[in-house]
Amino acid sequence: LHGQAIDVTPSEFVILLELLRTPGAVVVCLRLARVINTAIDDEEEARQLIRPHIVRLRRKLEPDPQQPVHLVSVRGVGYRSARPG
């Protein structure tokens, strides 16, 4: 971030990578849970699993984690990364 390395966990890394693969596209929580190799098949369980990872990523990446601009929630669906530019 701004030329500085940021420490992230392996799970945070793969979640971030998945979100960055398609900037602007919504990724459902179930998909994010699967990329961190969980056997969860329920969207609500996946949402509960992924939420803390997103919170930690926002603390590390966002200028104001309470008003995210890079990792955006899409209520009831999932998350998306902001489009570059």
Side-chain angles (χ1 to χ4, degrees):
L1 184 65
H2 306 293
Q4 299 293 326
I6 296 174
D7 290 327
V8 295
T9 67
S11 293
E12 291 169 351
F13 180 79
V14 294
I15 289 169
L16 184 58
L17 185 62
E18 188 65 23
L19 290 168
L20 293 174
R21 282 193 173 134
T22 53
V26 178
V27 181
V28 297
C29 292
L30 195 54
R31 170 112 179 113
L32 295 174
R34 289 186 178 147
V35 299
I36 58 173
N37 296 317
T38 65
I40 291 175
D41 288 327
D42 178 73
E43 184 65 30
E44 182 57 33
E45 286 181 50
R47 191 172 293 117
Q48 291 175 16
L49 173 74
I50 296 302
R51 185 176 295 129
H53 293 291
I54 296 294
V55 167
R56 287 190 296 273
L57 279 167
R58 284 176 173 161
R59 286 183 191 148
K60 295 172 183 181
L61 299 172
E62 296 285 356
D64 178 359
Q66 298 300 316
Q67 300 293 320
V69 293
H70 301 299
L71 301 177
V72 180
S73 298
V74 179
R75 190 175 185 156
V77 182
Y79 298 92
R80 67 176 175 79
S81 62
R83 289 187 177 110

